[in-house]
Amino acid sequence: MPQHVLEQAAQTPTGARPGATLAVTSAATAVALMTYTAPMITLADTAASLHTGLSAQAWLLNGTPLGLAALLLVAGSLADDYGRRRAFVLGTFALGLMTILGALAPTTLLFTLARVAQGAASAAIIAASLGLLVHAFPTPAGRIRATGVWGAFVSGGIAIGPVVAGWVAGLADWRWSYAVLGAAALLVGALAPRALTESRSPRAGRPDLPGALTLGLALVALLAALTLGRDGWLRAPIGVLLAATAVLLAAFVAVERRSASPMLDLSLLRRPLFLASTAGGLFTGLSVVALFSYVPTLVQNTMGVSPMGTAGLFVVWSGTSFLVALQARRLAGRVSPRHQLAVGFALHALAVATMLGAAGSGHWTRLLPGLVVSGVGSGLLNAALPLLAVESVPAGRAAMGSGANNTARYIGSAAGVALMIAVSTSTGTSTHALAGGTNAALITSGALALAAAGLLLALRERRAPQPQPQPRS
């Protein structure tokens, strides 16, 4: 038997089932991401059915990332303190129920609220998953493999979600796509209790409820301002929301400094690796996830590609990302996660450059090279981010690290979607105007990716000073 397998078996906690843990957490994460990406293909049908105006369509896309961003850090902290399996199982069942309720929603408001609740449930799944994996895979080699597979299933969920949603919607109705995804979440939730072993890393003191409340409200206010800003940034409601965000964030910092068991240990902000993890998540959302959340709609509107054809193009990107993320663990020891992220962002910037002008050409084949190159970059990002998230925090705070990383990612995603919609529709919504707007969105995404690569290269881990040799007497 290979030596690394013997070492893993010797160090695995009593009762832990590494294979089952990896399978169940990966499956649930994939379902959560499938739910997240489903509106990318069904947006037009959903908006028509719910009579959703153009401005309000951003809410159909941003509901889930809003719930994710608002509660990921809270969920990670509670999972560490009260049990990761408990948080995971509750989140999985809640995701199934909220997704089915979304399928039944008769109005834009109720559908959006269901999407926000889906995001909140997904927050518990994603934050608890990495904590469960760190507990089940205590060796460095095992952890690299596990986070690589889990990251690949992030890409896999993104890839399969639009295909499943488009296929089911084509057979019946867009509502049935959410019903199928809800049933899949409930099935995984039913399997989870036997497959997972409870683990926790409790801290002394009471739960940080004031921190959770102030941060959650701050993120909701920020994302609401970013989404509403598409109709004009100088309006009074936008100013009120941004001012509320600033006040609530200041209150959060004050609460965390005084708390005996803070939800977010602010001293982590002095760690370059933690900053790299957070920045990597933020720019992944801003640049990559946001672009590919809205590009399918632009492709349908500017090229006349069918929803299932658009889903097929989307799979070229996300399927490549899935395959690359599975193999990226082979880079361990050769390329640091920080440098892997920088390369991933650089490849995405190169990819969007190759896609410029494609929307106006009418030829969908123009998109293929860029989709493949960006897929390679996304695979590197999805493999490196979970590993860096758990390596950048103390071992007992793995779910906190995951929560912080993914909070940044989905704040970036929600902000980026609002930005991409604003940029792409700034000159109008005719086919010709949208073709030019697509180029503007691609340029914006590429510029953000290059900025991210530069920032990550600058965030080097500080080396401890070497002791000076003592002079001989």
Side-chain angles (χ1 to χ4, degrees):
M1 184 177 292
Q3 182 65 28
H4 70 87
V5 175
L6 292 173
E7 292 176 356
Q8 175 70 47
Q11 298 186 40
T12 299
T14 303
R17 301 171 61 189
T21 300
L22 180 58
V24 169
T25 55
S26 296
T29 301
V31 173
L33 269 296
M34 289 169 69
T35 305
Y36 177 90
T37 56
M40 296 179 184
I41 298 302
T42 62
L43 180 62
D45 289 343
T46 305
S49 175
L50 299 176
H51 306 290
T52 309
L54 182 62
S55 299
Q57 288 181 23
W59 285 107
L60 302 184
L61 292 172
N62 269 355
T64 296
L66 192 153
L68 275 162
L71 290 179
L72 262 165
L73 197 54
V74 178
S77 181
L78 293 177
D80 281 338
D81 287 339
Y82 294 101
R84 294 154 185 152
R85 183 179 70 171
R86 178 182 298 174
F88 180 91
V89 172
L90 289 174
T92 307
F93 278 115
L95 175 63
L97 293 174
M98 291 301 104
T99 305
I100 291 172
L101 287 177
L104 301 173
T107 66
T108 298
L109 175 61
L110 291 177
F111 181 78
T112 300
L113 291 175
R115 293 283 292 166
V116 173
Q118 290 163 32
S122 297
I125 295 171
I126 292 172
S129 289
L130 282 177
L132 288 164
L133 290 177
V134 167
H135 177 73
F137 293 87
T139 65
R143 189 171 298 171
I144 289 170
R145 172 180 171 272
T147 55
V149 171
W150 185 85
F153 272 82
V154 171
S155 299
I158 292 171
I160 299 172
V163 177
V164 171
W167 178 68
V168 174
L171 291 177
D173 182 77
W174 67 269
R175 296 181 184 276
W176 279 101
S177 61
Y178 290 95
V180 168
L181 292 174
L186 292 176
L187 176 61
V188 177
L191 297 173
R194 290 188 178 182
L196 303 177
T197 301
E198 186 60 282
S199 67
R200 55 175 60 86
S201 182
R203 297 166 294 175
R206 297 180 179 179
D208 185 16
L209 296 180
L213 182 63
T214 51
L215 179 63
L217 290 176
L219 295 178
V220 169
L222 174 62
L223 296 181
L226 293 172
T227 303
L228 293 173
R230 183 191 173 278
D231 293 326
W233 292 100
L234 299 180
R235 294 180 299 141
I238 307 301
V240 171
L241 286 169
L242 290 177
T245 300
V247 171
L248 287 165
L249 285 176
F252 172 72
V253 171
V255 167
E256 297 306 279
R257 285 179 172 174
R258 291 179 172 84
S259 175
S261 54
M263 184 176 60
L264 176 63
D265 184 355
L266 297 180
S267 67
L268 291 173
L269 297 175
R270 294 195 290 270
R271 293 188 175 193
L273 280 185
F274 183 79
L275 291 176
S277 170
T278 306
L282 178 67
F283 279 94
T284 296
L286 270 174
S287 175
V288 183
V289 178
L291 179 69
F292 286 103
S293 293
Y294 192 56
V295 156
T297 301
L298 292 175
V299 167
Q300 292 178 52
N301 290 336
T302 60
M303 294 184 167
V305 181
S306 68
M308 282 306 294
T310 304
L313 285 174
F314 192 81
V315 167
V316 172
W317 168 70
S318 50
T320 302
S321 176
F322 172 75
L323 295 174
V324 170
L326 275 179
Q327 298 301 317
R329 68 180 186 275
R330 302 180 187 277
L331 297 174
R334 302 175 186 175
V335 181
S336 71
R338 182 174 61 87
H339 284 95
Q340 192 173 312
L341 289 176
V343 172
F345 281 118
L347 287 174
H348 178 72
L350 174 63
V352 297
T354 69
M355 291 191 281
L356 289 172
S361 71
H363 300 291
W364 59 266
T365 53
R366 283 278 312 278
L367 295 170
L368 290 177
L371 292 173
V372 172
V373 174
S374 181
V376 174
S378 297
L380 294 175
L381 295 174
N382 286 333
L385 280 172
L387 181 59
L388 190 58
V390 298
E391 286 187 345
S392 64
V393 296
R397 305 257 61 91
M400 178 192 288
S402 170
N405 176 278
N406 284 287
T407 296
R409 183 193 295 221
Y410 293 108
I411 288 174
S413 170
V417 165
L419 177 63
M420 296 302 164
I421 292 177
V423 169
S424 62
T425 60
S426 59
T427 57
T429 56
S430 66
T431 301
H432 178 73
L434 284 176
T438 302
N439 287 334
L442 290 168
I443 291 171
T444 301
S445 177
L448 289 169
L450 289 176
L455 178 61
L456 286 162
L457 291 175
L459 287 171
R460 293 192 296 269
E461 186 73 12
R462 300 184 187 93
R463 293 183 179 180
Q466 298 295 323
Q468 297 296 322
Q470 297 296 322
R472 294 180 180 178
S473 57

